[in-house]
């Protein structure tokens, strides 16, 4: 969760202040921007807004300011340029936070579509901006004010993502996110991603978060004061129906049960986040290091569940383990050999139409678990209409 002090984003386009917008709604590009205009977010107080702990949660309007005024705004000591470019907004009575993104060229893979890592990064960015825009943000990475006082941070324990379609380079996507309680001491965060043009939902995700002391690195109960901050934003809605969520136990892989092991994975300085541990999205790339190349090339990753066991620091060296089998929901009768066993290729990849993989990231030294994961893959050839 993440929410910036006294901010809600409402888009205001003043026709007198800029020339035109590209006629295609999927491309957020302002014409003649270099010649005459610059985009500037102006904070304006609102009346009749919600309150959190008795304090007003103010909004922010997005205005387009002529270029000649930009220099003065930049020099204005009262302007906070770091907070001016969060282009999301609250919808549905401030319970749902919505933000749009263009898929960049550096966010696509070899098949010219966004990667699972890209999607996870966009989900994380939307969540952080949600917290930053709520009016209760503290000085931590996604922490509220009361959390910052108590040196608490959010850590994710489990996340499940279902992808119907991967966006291509240049596509515009719209992400909604909201939060709810998860038991007595957890928080659930859900997301949906829509194609901006068609408004069709193309990705759904749900996650569970708990609190940890950033100094002792121990888990903590949610203090009463923190609950008072976040409960007003809770929305009892599920992005993925409970029956469709991958909630089954993820089996622990061993040297004997893993089909592929990729050792020597060392975190870099750039893999660390603001909470001084490896960013949870980085684990996906390491998990895929032990997936056969032909699976990465010929299959689409349609579902992924990650179960985070412990932190990873820069000094740690990891191993990635993977095992594969036909997806239990697929018809695999035609892929059985004489012994009634599923057939696998020489590189240990399954020839079934759909695959289910089990993954493990562990310390290379003592084999301590970092992340358990499960993924489902669909053969690309059978997705062609």
């Amino acid at each position: 969760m993440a929410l910036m002090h006294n901010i809600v984003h409402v888009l205001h386009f003043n026709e007198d202040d800029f020339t035109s917008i590209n006629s295609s709604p999927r491309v957020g590009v302002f014409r003649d921007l270099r010649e005459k205009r610059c985009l500037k977010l102006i904070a304006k107080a609102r009346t009749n807004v919600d309150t959190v702990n008795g304090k007003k949660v103010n909004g922010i309007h997005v205005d387009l300011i002529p270029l000649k005024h930009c220099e003065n705004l930049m020099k204005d000591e009262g302007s906070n340029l770091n907070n001016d470019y969060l282009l999301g907004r609250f919808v549905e009575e401030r319970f749902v936070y919505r933000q749009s993104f263009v898929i960049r060229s550096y966010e696509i893979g070899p098949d010219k579509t966004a990667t699972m890592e890209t999607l996870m990064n966009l989900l994380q960015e939307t969540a952080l901006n949600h917290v930053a825009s709520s009016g209760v943000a503290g000085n931590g990475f996604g922490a509220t004010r009361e959390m910052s006082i108590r040196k608490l941070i959010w850590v994710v324990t489990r996340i499940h993502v279902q992808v119907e379609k991967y966006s291509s380079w240049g596509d515009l996507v719209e992400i909604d996110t909201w939060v709810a309680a998860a038991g007595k001491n957890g928080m659930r965060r859900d997301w949906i991603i829509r194609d901006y043009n068609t408004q069709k939902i193309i990705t759904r995700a749900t996650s569970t978060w708990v609190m940890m002391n950033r100094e002792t690195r121990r888990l903590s109960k949610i203090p009463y004061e923190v609950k008072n901050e976040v409960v007003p934003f809770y929305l009892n809605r599920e992005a993925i129906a409970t029956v469709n969520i991958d909630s089954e136990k993820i089996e622990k892989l061993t040297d004997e049960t893993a089909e592929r092991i990729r050792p020597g994975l060392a975190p870099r300085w750039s893999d660390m986040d603001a909470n001084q541990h490896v960013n949870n999205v980085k684990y996906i790339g390491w998990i895929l290091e032990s997936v056969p190349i032909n699976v990465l090339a010929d299959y689409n990753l349609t579902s992924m569940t990650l179960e985070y066991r412990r932190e990873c620091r820069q000094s740690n060296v990891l191993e990635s383990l993977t095992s594969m089998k036909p997806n239990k929901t697929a018809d695999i009768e035609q892929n059985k050999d004489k012994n009634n066993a599923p057939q696998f290729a020489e590189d240990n990849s399954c020839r079934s139409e759909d695959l289910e993989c089990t993954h493990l990231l562990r310390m290379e030294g003592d084999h301590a678990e970092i992340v358990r994961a499960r993924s489902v893959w669909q053969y690309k050839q059978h997705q062609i209409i």
Side-chain angles (χ1 to χ4, degrees):
M1 220 180 111
L3 299 111
M4 193 167 281
H5 186 55
N6 291 338
I7 303 181
V8 168
H9 307 89
V10 178
L11 215 56
H12 262 300
F13 292 136
N14 187 335
E15 294 182 356
D16 295 331
D17 286 337
F18 69 99
T19 53
S20 63
I21 297 180
N22 191 308
S23 58
S24 173
R26 66 189 284 270
V27 181
V29 179
F30 297 134
R31 293 177 179 171
D32 300 328
L33 186 61
R34 293 177 297 176
E35 297 180 6
K36 298 180 180 180
R37 307 291 182 253
C38 75
L39 183 62
K40 178 76 173 127
L41 301 171
I42 305 298
K44 294 181 180 180
R46 280 186 166 188
T47 58
N48 299 323
V49 295
D50 296 346
T51 61
V52 177
N53 293 339
K55 298 181 180 180
K56 287 186 177 181
V57 179
N58 296 323
I60 188 168
H61 288 282
V62 178
D63 288 330
L64 290 160
I65 305 301
L67 184 62
K68 62 183 179 181
H69 298 311
C70 285
E71 185 175 353
N72 291 335
L73 288 170
M74 296 282 285
K75 294 178 180 179
D76 183 6
E77 294 180 358
S79 67
N80 187 347
L81 298 180
N82 289 331
N83 298 343
D84 283 343
Y85 296 97
L86 296 177
L87 300 180
R89 60 192 175 96
F90 280 95
V91 295
E92 299 188 36
E93 299 181 351
R94 295 181 51 79
F95 289 110
V96 177
Y97 184 79
R98 178 173 295 167
Q99 187 163 3
S100 298
F101 299 90
V102 175
I103 303 302
R104 311 293 184 178
S105 60
Y106 50 82
E107 295 173 324
I108 62 175
D111 59 357
K112 300 180 182 179
T113 61
T115 64
M116 178 63 79
E117 290 173 273
T118 292
L119 297 184
M120 294 282 279
N121 276 320
L122 295 182
L123 298 182
Q124 179 173 273
E125 179 70 9
T126 306
L128 290 170
N129 288 341
H130 178 198
V131 180
S133 304
S134 69
V136 298
N139 58 10
F141 194 57
T144 68
R145 287 192 289 270
E146 294 294 339
M147 288 174 62
S148 296
I149 292 171
R150 292 162 177 79
K151 302 178 181 180
L152 298 173
I153 60 176
W154 289 109
V155 292
V156 62
T157 59
R158 190 179 178 99
I159 184 166
H160 174 60
V161 183
Q162 297 178 357
V163 181
E164 178 71 22
K165 176 187 175 183
Y166 285 93
S167 300
S168 301
W169 174 27
D171 284 350
L172 184 62
V173 297
E174 182 179 84
I175 303 179
D176 285 1
T177 188
W178 61 92
V179 293
K184 293 183 178 180
N185 281 293
M187 184 186 72
R188 192 186 82 234
R189 176 176 287 280
D190 286 7
W191 299 265
I192 58 173
I193 303 180
R194 297 185 186 89
D195 179 276
Y196 187 85
N197 282 336
T198 65
Q199 286 296 291
K200 179 182 178 181
I201 296 176
I202 55 178
T203 299
R204 299 175 184 270
T206 187
S207 60
T208 305
W209 300 72
V210 295
M211 288 191 178
M212 184 177 74
N213 186 290
R214 68 170 181 262
E215 293 186 352
T216 66
R217 317 310 283 188
R218 293 184 176 180
L219 298 183
S220 168
K221 293 183 178 180
I222 301 180
Y224 175 79
E225 294 81 1
V226 175
K227 285 186 177 180
N228 281 346
E229 289 181 311
V230 299
V231 167
F233 295 93
Y234 282 178
L235 176 64
N236 186 22
R237 178 186 298 174
E238 297 175 334
I240 305 174
T242 302
V243 295
N244 295 327
I245 295 176
D246 179 6
S247 57
E248 294 184 9
K249 179 181 178 181
I250 301 177
E251 297 297 328
K252 178 182 177 180
L253 290 181
T254 65
D255 290 340
E256 291 72 31
T257 59
E259 297 168 25
R260 297 174 62 93
I261 300 178
R262 170 67 161 85
L265 300 171
R268 302 167 298 176
W269 175 255
S270 59
D271 295 327
M272 310 300 289
D273 66 17
N275 288 326
Q276 302 305 309
H277 60 203
V278 172
N279 186 298
N280 65 79
V281 178
K282 297 293 183 180
Y283 295 123
I284 298 175
W286 292 333
I287 286 171
L288 299 182
E289 284 288 325
S290 56
V291 175
I293 291 295
N294 72 308
V295 174
L296 299 176
D298 298 335
Y299 290 75
N300 277 328
L301 177 53
T302 59
S303 173
M304 193 166 205
T305 304
L306 299 116
E307 189 179 276
Y308 298 89
R309 294 290 176 129
R310 69 176 63 198
E311 288 187 284
C312 177
R313 300 299 188 91
Q314 190 184 1
S315 59
N316 300 137
V317 180
L318 307 182
E319 291 179 329
S320 175
L321 291 72
T322 290
S323 68
M324 292 166 287
K325 65 180 180 180
N327 186 15
K328 58 187 176 181
T329 61
D331 180 9
I332 63 172
E333 291 301 320
Q334 59 183 350
N335 297 297
K336 292 183 177 180
D337 61 17
K338 297 179 181 179
N339 296 320
N340 205 37
Q343 295 180 4
F344 287 81
E346 293 180 358
D347 60 0
N348 293 330
S349 65
C350 184
R351 294 174 183 168
S352 175
E353 180 173 330
D354 294 307
L355 298 178
E356 180 180 305
C357 299
T358 302
H359 312 274
L360 175 66
L361 284 179
R362 68 185 186 188
M363 300 290 190
E364 194 171 80
D366 60 5
H367 288 184
E369 293 182 82
I370 303 296
V371 179
R372 291 187 189 185
R374 180 166 37 241
S375 60
V376 176
W377 303 73
Q378 188 175 50
Y379 193 49
K380 290 180 180 179
Q381 179 177 329
H382 295 279
Q383 294 181 321
I384 299 174
I385 299 177

